[in-house]
Amino acid sequence: MHPVLKVALVVLFEALAIAFALFFFWRIQQQHAAIAQSALVEIQSGTAFLLLPLILPLLHLMSVVEKQFATGAKQAKFRKLQSKLFIFLVLVLPGSGFVINQMVVSKLKHQGYQACDMVAFQTRSSFTTYSKDTALCPKP
């Protein structure tokens, strides 16, 4: 593969990974804003996995650091650390996304919102509407 194409693909995938994470945090911010302003709030669950692609830029950064500072025996330690970091990130990134989503739902319930009966399911997420007044809930 041509070196320029390799670099372009790495940059593209890392940009997409960062875009997914930014979308996740933008969605959480939008949900917090809706909680503060609206009687009806739609919560999308199942978005925690949008943080998982952040592994790519973090591991790439780690490999760049390895090439700059590690030689010989240090390189083996760095690679071991990278594999442990990969496993850690696979567990922590979606886990933290799940915790953040649960904090939003907890905030809703704490402020008196109740889940409406209608839930829309998509491939990897579900949309639940919460309301302070159940009479405002959408009807199926």
Side-chain angles (χ1 to χ4, degrees), residues 35-104:
I35 292 169
Q37 300 173 15
S38 181
L40 282 176
V41 177
E42 184 179 71
I43 297 296
Q44 181 180 3
S45 64
T47 58
F49 292 104
L50 289 172
L51 295 179
L52 195 56
L54 280 179
I55 291 173
L56 180 65
L58 293 173
L59 288 179
H60 184 241
L61 180 65
M62 191 85 169
S63 69
V64 168
V65 169
E66 173 192 351
K67 285 184 181 183
Q68 292 295 321
F69 299 109
T71 57
K74 286 183 180 180
Q75 201 168 22
K77 285 183 180 180
F78 234 86
R79 290 197 177 148
K80 224 180 229 187
L81 180 65
Q82 267 185 312
S83 64
K84 289 178 182 179
L85 179 67
F86 176 77
I87 293 169
F88 176 75
L89 290 173
V90 165
L91 298 173
V92 168
L93 287 173
S96 61
F98 177 76
V99 168
I100 291 169
N101 282 334
Q102 291 306 311
M103 288 171 54
V104 171

